[in-house]
PDB file of all heavy atoms in Angstrom:
ATOM      1  N   SER A 246     -10.951 -11.406 -46.064  1.00 98.00           N
ATOM      2  CA  SER A 246     -12.021 -11.950 -45.239  1.00 98.00           C
ATOM      3  C   SER A 246     -12.264 -13.450 -45.499  1.00 98.00           C
ATOM      4  O   SER A 246     -12.921 -14.117 -44.728  1.00 98.00           O
ATOM      5  CB  SER A 246     -13.343 -11.217 -45.489  1.00 98.00           C
ATOM      6  OG  SER A 246     -13.199  -9.868 -45.135  1.00 98.00           O
ATOM      7  N   ASP A 247     -11.732 -13.941 -46.619  1.00 98.00           N
ATOM      8  CA  ASP A 247     -11.809 -15.350 -46.907  1.00 98.00           C
ATOM      9  C   ASP A 247     -10.393 -15.847 -47.176  1.00 98.00           C
ATOM     10  O   ASP A 247      -9.894 -15.806 -48.292  1.00 98.00           O
ATOM     11  CB  ASP A 247     -12.681 -15.632 -48.158  1.00 98.00           C
ATOM     12  CG  ASP A 247     -12.627 -17.113 -48.547  1.00 98.00           C
ATOM     13  OD1 ASP A 247     -12.045 -17.934 -47.811  1.00 98.00           O
ATOM     14  OD2 ASP A 247     -13.206 -17.463 -49.588  1.00 98.00           O
ATOM     15  N   PRO A 248      -9.712 -16.323 -46.099  1.00 97.00           N
ATOM     16  CA  PRO A 248      -8.308 -16.715 -46.261  1.00 97.00           C
ATOM     17  C   PRO A 248      -8.100 -17.860 -47.251  1.00 97.00           C
ATOM     18  O   PRO A 248      -6.977 -18.087 -47.706  1.00 97.00           O
ATOM     19  CB  PRO A 248      -7.937 -17.159 -44.832  1.00 97.00           C
ATOM     20  CG  PRO A 248      -8.966 -16.649 -43.921  1.00 97.00           C
ATOM     21  CD  PRO A 248     -10.227 -16.505 -44.758  1.00 97.00           C
ATOM     22  N   THR A 249      -9.165 -18.570 -47.570  1.00 96.00           N
ATOM     23  CA  THR A 249      -9.006 -19.677 -48.557  1.00 96.00           C
ATOM     24  C   THR A 249      -9.051 -19.155 -50.009  1.00 96.00           C
ATOM     25  O   THR A 249      -8.786 -19.919 -50.920  1.00 96.00           O
ATOM     26  CB  THR A 249     -10.123 -20.738 -48.420  1.00 96.00           C
ATOM     27  OG1 THR A 249     -11.383 -20.148 -48.805  1.00 96.00           O
ATOM     28  CG2 THR A 249     -10.267 -21.252 -46.969  1.00 96.00           C
ATOM     29  N   SER A 250      -9.364 -17.871 -50.175  1.00 97.00           N
ATOM     30  CA  SER A 250      -9.438 -17.359 -51.558  1.00 97.00           C
ATOM     31  C   SER A 250      -8.013 -17.192 -52.105  1.00 97.00           C
ATOM     32  O   SER A 250      -7.116 -16.803 -51.392  1.00 97.00           O
ATOM     33  CB  SER A 250     -10.184 -16.026 -51.615  1.00 97.00           C
ATOM     34  OG  SER A 250      -9.555 -15.033 -50.817  1.00 97.00           O
ATOM     35  N   SER A 251      -7.838 -17.471 -53.394  1.00 97.00           N
ATOM     36  CA  SER A 251      -6.524 -17.511 -53.979  1.00 97.00           C
ATOM     37  C   SER A 251      -5.897 -16.122 -54.151  1.00 97.00           C
ATOM     38  O   SER A 251      -6.588 -15.160 -54.440  1.00 97.00           O
ATOM     39  CB  SER A 251      -6.621 -18.193 -55.367  1.00 97.00           C
ATOM     40  OG  SER A 251      -5.348 -18.159 -55.973  1.00 97.00           O
ATOM     41  N   THR A 252      -4.565 -16.064 -54.024  1.00 97.00           N
ATOM     42  CA  THR A 252      -3.833 -14.848 -54.288  1.00 97.00           C
ATOM     43  C   THR A 252      -3.356 -14.781 -55.735  1.00 97.00           C
ATOM     44  O   THR A 252      -2.665 -13.811 -56.121  1.00 97.00           O
ATOM     45  CB  THR A 252      -2.609 -14.737 -53.350  1.00 97.00           C
ATOM     46  OG1 THR A 252      -1.827 -15.923 -53.528  1.00 97.00           O
ATOM     47  CG2 THR A 252      -3.008 -14.611 -51.908  1.00 97.00           C
ATOM     48  N   GLU A 253      -3.705 -15.774 -56.524  1.00 96.00           N
ATOM     49  CA  GLU A 253      -3.358 -15.792 -57.932  1.00 96.00           C
ATOM     50  C   GLU A 253      -3.864 -14.515 -58.620  1.00 96.00           C
ATOM     51  O   GLU A 253      -5.039 -14.138 -58.390  1.00 96.00           O
ATOM     52  CB  GLU A 253      -4.012 -17.015 -58.574  1.00 96.00           C
ATOM     53  CG  GLU A 253      -3.500 -17.423 -59.931  1.00 96.00           C
ATOM     54  CD  GLU A 253      -2.091 -17.957 -59.896  1.00 96.00           C
ATOM     55  OE1 GLU A 253      -1.647 -18.443 -58.819  1.00 96.00           O
ATOM     56  OE2 GLU A 253      -1.432 -17.888 -60.914  1.00 96.00           O
ATOM     57  N   PRO A 254      -3.033 -13.819 -59.424  1.00 97.00           N
ATOM     58  CA  PRO A 254      -3.510 -12.601 -60.081  1.00 97.00           C
ATOM     59  C   PRO A 254      -4.714 -12.883 -60.982  1.00 97.00           C
ATOM     60  O   PRO A 254      -4.878 -13.964 -61.530  1.00 97.00           O
ATOM     61  CB  PRO A 254      -2.327 -12.175 -60.924  1.00 97.00           C
ATOM     62  CG  PRO A 254      -1.135 -12.887 -60.370  1.00 97.00           C
ATOM     63  CD  PRO A 254      -1.635 -14.151 -59.778  1.00 97.00           C
ATOM     64  N   VAL A 255      -5.571 -11.862 -61.094  1.00 97.00           N
ATOM     65  CA  VAL A 255      -6.750 -11.984 -61.974  1.00 97.00           C
ATOM     66  C   VAL A 255      -6.435 -11.269 -63.273  1.00 97.00           C
ATOM     67  O   VAL A 255      -6.114 -10.096 -63.255  1.00 97.00           O
ATOM     68  CB  VAL A 255      -7.979 -11.347 -61.303  1.00 97.00           C
ATOM     69  CG1 VAL A 255      -9.199 -11.460 -62.189  1.00 97.00           C
ATOM     70  CG2 VAL A 255      -8.253 -12.000 -59.938  1.00 97.00           C
ATOM     71  N   SER A 256      -6.551 -11.974 -64.382  1.00 95.00           N
ATOM     72  CA  SER A 256      -6.278 -11.360 -65.649  1.00 95.00           C
ATOM     73  C   SER A 256      -7.521 -10.643 -66.183  1.00 95.00           C
ATOM     74  O   SER A 256      -8.608 -10.817 -65.637  1.00 95.00           O
ATOM     75  CB  SER A 256      -5.760 -12.373 -66.679  1.00 95.00           C
ATOM     76  OG  SER A 256      -6.745 -13.347 -66.905  1.00 95.00           O
TER      77      SER A 256
END
Side-chain angles (χ1 to χ4, degrees):
Chain A
S246 298
D247 174 6
T249 69
S250 62
S251 176
T252 55
E253 195 69 23
V255 179
S256 62

